[in-house]
Amino acid sequence: MMRKKIAAGNWKMNTLPEEAHELFHSIADTYEELGLNEQKQVILAPPFLYIVQLAEWAKDYPYLHIAAQNCHSESKGAFTGEISAIQLAAAGATHVIIGHSERRAYFSETNAQLEAKTKAALAAGLTPIFCCGETLEIRDNENCIAYIINQLKASLGMLSKEEFSQIILAYEPVWAIGTGKTASPEQAQEVHASIRHWISQHFSNEIAERCTILYGGSCNAQNAADLFSRSDVDGGLIGGASLNAETFLPIIQNLPA
Ligand code: PGA
């Protein structure tokens, strides 16, 4: 069964306006050559500030989407400094990253909060890109697959089949994020296959087969082809290497056809 292959760029707290402009256009300028389509897409997750502008530019490119990096679980109200999913949708975002390990670690986001954010995103019509992944300590000392499945169960286990089928997952081993250490294609495949198995047990085989599962953690132009060649790896969530067209474009080009 065909499932979407995706290269998503997580810009994190990087880029000033001119850099965001240049980066967006360097990708948009090669749009035709990238051969994107319904099954092969690119998502850019800039800082909140640039979403309105980038979403406006992205209107000319049907398979180039704009994501937020986070959202609040409430739709509006007295939450100083926060941004809701419906505000993001109104600004033109179509996707939102939820549960990135930096948010879990530095902003103490809990599984329960991530469940609420996921529901808010779905209610606003946004596609969540839901992140999971283990620390090095967990990989070395515990059953890391059980840990990852528990993360998913805790935040997504209560969703209906219809809701879950909207979700994109990203497996991002914390020890590989921004460290230059990448999970080997075998390690990534093992986790992705286990995640897909859990989805098939918990939801359905069909939903599992359709679910796009991205790999993230020091994915770059050199290792993307090998990672993406694994049967359960459907593309990448890319941080550092997405901040430069020279490193991001080859990753997009390595998405399977
Ligand atoms: P990285 O980040 O590619 O810089 O390791 C990935 C991510 O955090 O999404």
Side-chain angles (χ1 to χ4, degrees), residues 31 35 39 90 139 158 176 178 190 197 206-207 247 249:
Y31 186 80
Q39 297 304 325
R139 178 157 281 266
M158 300 303 282
E190 184 194 15
H197 179 70
E206 197 195 335
I207 293 173
T247 47
L249 289 171

Side-chain angles (χ1 to χ4, degrees), residues 105-203:
Y106 307 147
F107 302 94
S108 309
E109 294 192 359
T110 63
N111 289 328
Q113 283 171 325
L114 300 177
E115 179 184 23
K117 288 182 183 215
T118 302
K119 287 186 171 160
L122 289 168
L126 296 175
T127 301
I129 303 172
F130 189 92
C131 304
C132 58
E134 80 289 0
T135 59
L136 193 54
E137 207 189 339
I138 289 165
R139 178 157 281 266
D140 287 346
N141 301 308
E142 293 176 36
N143 178 340
C144 77
I145 304 257
Y147 175 86
I148 293 159
I149 299 299
N150 271 332
Q151 284 182 320
L152 298 176
K153 252 192 220 164
S155 297
L156 307 178
M158 300 303 282
L159 297 182
S160 68
K161 287 185 180 180
E162 200 192 340
E163 287 171 328
F164 187 85
S165 58
Q166 310 296 313
I167 288 181
I168 294 169
L169 295 178
Y171 166 56
E172 299 206 307
V174 178
W175 48 272
I177 295 177
T179 58
K181 275 192 208 164
T182 319
S184 67
E186 292 74 21
Q187 285 172 322
Q189 169 59 24
E190 184 194 15
V191 174
H192 285 225
S194 305
I195 292 174
R196 204 177 301 288
H197 179 70
W198 173 72
I199 301 168
S200 74
Q201 304 285 93
H202 196 87
F203 293 99

Side-chain angles (χ1 to χ4, degrees), residues 10 12 100 102 172 176-179 216-219 237-241:
N10 176 9
K12 309 192 181 183
H100 190 280
E102 286 151 19
E172 299 206 307
I177 295 177
T179 58
S218 299
C219 183
L237 177 56
I238 296 108

